[in-house]
Amino acid sequence: PMSVEMIQRAYALQQGGRLAEAEALYRTALAGGGGDVTGWFLFALALYQQQKTREALSAINNALMRDPAHPDSLMM
């Protein structure tokens, strides 16, 4: 699906330190509440890396709703 490809591109941007661009791509990929636990976790991480704590918490909640036992989300 398109959203998986977008999340992969966003993650590559995130790894390259291009956090604002990654955030925008994650937002597009996850629009409408879609996406899996990994996409939401990576989005939360990108937000957290930009010190957008409140938004990061919201994204982590979305990840945990998809998988309450997701280890990375639980550690964040």
Side-chain angles (χ1 to χ4, degrees), residues 3 7 26 28-37 39-40 62 66:
S3 64
I7 287 171
Y26 283 129
T28 300
L30 299 170
D36 66 1
V37 63
W40 282 100
N62 274 300
R66 283 155 179 79

Side-chain angles (χ1 to χ4, degrees), residues 1-46:
M2 181 63 157
S3 64
V4 172
E5 293 172 13
M6 291 172 67
I7 287 171
Q8 290 172 342
R9 288 198 328 256
Y11 183 60
L13 290 168
Q14 186 174 2
Q15 288 184 307
R18 296 165 61 181
L19 299 174
E21 292 172 74
E23 176 189 343
L25 203 49
Y26 283 129
R27 284 188 190 281
T28 300
L30 299 170
D36 66 1
V37 63
T38 301
W40 282 100
F41 168 73
L42 293 172
F43 176 47
L45 185 58

